[in-house]
Amino acid sequence: MTSFPPGFLWGAATAAHQVEGNNVNSDLWVLEHCNPTLFEEPSLDACDHYHRFADDIRLLASLGLNTYRFSIEWARIEPEQGRFSVSALDHYRRVLAACHENGVTPMVTFYHFSSPRWFAGMGGWEKRNAGDLFVRYCERSTRHLGDLITSASTFNEPNLPMLLRWISNVDIPFTTVLRMGRQASRAIGAGQFGCFFLGDGDKLQNHMIAAHHRAMEALKSGPGDYPVGVNITLQDEQAVGQNSKRDKKCAEVYEPWLAAASRSDFLGIQTYTRCRVGKKGDLGPEPGVELTQMGYEYWPDALEVSLRYAAARVRVPIYITESGVATDDDSRRIDFIRQSLGGVTRCLADGIDVRGYIHWSLLDNFEWIYGYRPKFGLIAVNRETQERTVKPSAHYLGEIARQNRIPDLAVIG
Ligand code: GCO
């Protein structure tokens, strides 16, 4: 079977901090400008999407895609604790309106890694009252935007800090982390600096799961009536040898959030690769396997495995809210999309309730600590002029979206 169900969502995703530019009131902006910093370069103008969103959404629609997943930025909406910016909220109303004008379904993420600096200065997610603050931001935002939202996620990859404890391809120098944290605290005149990326996974997880459920209630209280879920990072975890720690890893990293998603309207999964787990933990890439620009294995089959893993644990609809590959060779991206989607069709044939495929990413953008080096975009962005150049992979995915099936490669040309 190469066809997809009617109404299947086809889209591309971005996140505010990675594309908007000049997110100066965020915790990450502070960290990017510390010395030393973990960031290879600062985000600065990013893709200037804050001003170019209308053209970008038009471009997405012109490719044939029908869904745009993006995040709204807490640091802009609540620049000081308890003070909300109506002009920032109006901006996101215009983004949502641009989606509707172009026949594009907007999927909104309320939190995609970045926080207001004041939130970090209070200790961030590790603090007990963090959830109250997040829920208030969600309430205020949906009051202004809810009538235009079609689908929303509370958090993007809230299980990432737990995953980072395990994965071996992220080599974060601890002394830089400490020095950067101390400097960030001084920079904003706070006693501590609680950043999502670097937080204590256990504390963070408990607070965020509770916050997810409360935020979901707030988002569902209207205006508007849209499904609310959570998007988790979910990789293809393979056990290697005897006494592999794979099951322990899954229990820590995935199970708590899959349980939370079971009590939500949908689950979003974000899959990039496989991880081999031995008796001591992650083993890293297998020698000889092609690597992406992120240093992990090129492994499109991971999507099918992750979908099956999730479907065995949750009864709610599943969206692929991110799948993609960092590469300079766009033909590898086309191959990656083709192979990943092959897996999705097999899952659909087995009755798994997959409702959409959202590619990461619409644009080449700011890949967090790695800066602008990794290229995940369907569309290239000139770093000097901000000019957009559509890559062949964008046309490939757009054609699949238009036909709602995987045509022969030859047809694409
Ligand atoms: C994440 C995020 C994205 C990334 C993407 C590529 O998974 O970290 O949701 O912001 O840019 O996954 O690494």
Side-chain angles (χ1 to χ4, degrees), residues 55-375:
D55 289 344
D56 290 338
I57 292 169
R58 219 173 293 128
L59 194 51
L60 174 144
S62 74
L63 293 169
L65 301 178
N66 59 34
T67 304
Y68 180 40
R69 173 177 171 245
F70 63 95
S71 70
I72 60 172
E73 181 54 61
W74 188 4
R76 293 187 196 272
I77 293 174
E78 192 177 355
E80 288 296 337
Q81 189 180 346
R83 306 283 175 147
F84 290 87
S85 163
V86 175
S87 115
L89 285 166
D90 279 343
H91 169 80
Y92 292 114
R93 269 197 86 76
R94 289 191 290 273
V95 177
L96 287 160
C99 290
H100 292 294
E101 280 155 24
N102 285 283
V104 167
T105 297
M107 279 188 121
V108 177
T109 309
F110 276 73
Y111 185 87
H112 197 127
F113 297 167
S114 44
S115 307
R117 11 169 131 200
W118 60 261
F119 182 77
M122 294 177 44
W125 284 107
E126 291 180 30
K127 292 290 155 194
R128 208 165 272 287
N129 67 341
D132 298 335
L133 298 165
F134 178 67
V135 171
R136 182 176 61 177
Y137 148 72
C138 289
E139 257 163 18
R140 182 69 187 85
S141 302
T142 199
R143 217 187 307 145
H144 206 88
L145 305 172
D147 58 318
L148 296 181
I149 296 178
T150 313
S151 149
S153 301
T154 51
F155 295 122
N156 178 75
E157 302 191 358
N159 58 336
L160 182 70
M162 294 301 258
L163 181 66
L164 287 178
R165 280 190 185 172
W166 285 84
I167 56 182
S168 50
N169 62 339
V170 180
D171 179 20
I172 295 182
F174 190 59
T175 48
T176 310
V177 172
L178 281 181
R179 288 173 65 196
M180 185 176 75
R182 277 200 298 268
Q183 221 194 83
S185 306
R186 274 201 304 277
I188 64 164
Q192 54 198 333
F193 196 88
C195 165
F196 168 79
F197 273 123
L198 308 170
D200 170 340
D202 288 311
K203 278 196 198 159
L204 234 128
Q205 178 140 294
N206 292 334
H207 294 169
M208 290 180 92
I209 289 177
H212 164 71
H213 292 297
R214 289 176 54 207
M216 181 160 129
E217 257 176 61
L219 298 180
K220 292 183 84 68
S221 64
D225 178 17
Y226 52 87
V228 181
V230 59
N231 305 342
I232 70 167
T233 170
L234 181 57
Q235 309 313 316
D236 168 3
E237 302 291 345
Q238 300 188 356
V240 177
Q242 300 219 308
N243 306 319
S244 160
K245 286 213 170 111
R246 193 260 318 258
D247 293 349
K248 183 174 191 301
K249 179 180 181 186
C250 291
E252 270 182 41
V253 180
Y254 304 124
E255 305 296 339
W257 278 102
L258 289 171
S262 304
R263 297 197 284 128
S264 311
D265 296 328
F266 68 87
L267 164 70
I269 70 164
Q270 317 201 150
T271 302
Y272 287 90
T273 191
R274 73 160 177 172
C275 301
R276 301 177 317 126
V277 190
K279 62 176 187 295
K280 291 195 184 136
D282 272 29
L283 297 170
E286 187 169 0
V289 174
E290 176 181 349
L291 300 182
T292 74
Q293 286 177 322
M294 297 295 281
Y296 39 69
E297 291 176 328
Y298 182 96
W299 206 266
D301 288 350
L303 186 57
E304 177 176 357
V305 178
S306 297
L307 276 172
R308 291 184 189 279
Y309 178 87
R313 287 162 179 79
V314 303
R315 292 283 163 268
V316 292
I318 303 175
Y319 291 85
I320 297 147
T321 42
E322 283 183 27
S323 165
V325 59
T327 176
D328 262 333
D329 177 352
D330 197 51
S331 66
R332 298 305 288 146
R333 189 174 347 269
I334 291 176
D335 178 75
F336 196 89
I337 293 171
R338 188 176 51 77
Q339 289 202 55
S340 304
L341 288 178
V344 177
T345 60
R346 289 189 289 276
C347 290
L348 285 165
D350 287 344
I352 295 177
D353 187 7
V354 193
R355 302 276 179 98
Y357 171 91
I358 317 294
H359 191 79
W360 183 269
S361 179
L362 179 65
L363 305 169
D364 283 341
N365 64 40
F366 182 69
E367 180 57 26
W368 312 113
I369 60 174
Y370 305 105
Y372 292 99
R373 186 172 42 81
K375 302 285 189 276

Side-chain angles (χ1 to χ4, degrees), residues 362-364 377-382 386-391:
L362 179 65
L363 305 169
D364 283 341
L378 296 169
I379 298 171
V381 176
N382 181 307
Q386 295 288 354
E387 192 193 338
R388 274 54 172 160
T389 306
V390 174
K391 302 180 191 178

